[in-house]
Amino acid sequence: MKEIDVRGLSCPEPVLMLKEALEANKNDTYKILANEAHTVKNLKNFAETHGKKVSVKEHGLEYEVTVS
């Protein structure tokens, strides 16, 4: 599982980082660390649109998004 840390980044940068990662290796599983609810929503929408499974765990004020 590869980790992508998008905490503190503004959209569309987190989505673009996920897009680049999926283009490099679409079969990997990615753990994305985020701290904004709208970023999580955008990542989830993007990943699901591209046929990926997404799970979200909330850790206090931060989120862990798993894309596989």
Side-chain angles (χ1 to χ4, degrees):
M1 182 179 303
K2 295 183 180 179
E3 189 174 287
I4 303 172
D5 188 348
V6 299
R7 293 175 287 191
L9 300 178
S10 299
C11 285
E13 195 169 359
V15 172
L16 294 175
M17 290 173 71
L18 176 59
K19 181 179 185 273
E20 288 176 13
L22 291 174
E23 287 173 350
N25 195 338
K26 64 181 180 181
N27 296 321
D28 276 352
T29 298
Y30 295 93
K31 178 170 71 172
I32 306 162
L33 305 175
N35 62 345
E36 298 286 342
H38 69 275
T39 298
V40 172
K41 180 180 176 185
N42 292 340
L43 289 167
K44 187 174 188 290
N45 289 341
F46 176 82
E48 289 176 344
T49 299
H50 289 84
K52 297 297 182 180
K53 294 181 183 179
V54 180
S55 66
V56 179
K57 294 180 185 175
E58 195 170 339
H59 301 284
L61 299 175
E62 296 193 347
Y63 302 88
E64 181 181 303
V65 182
T66 303
V67 176
S68 58

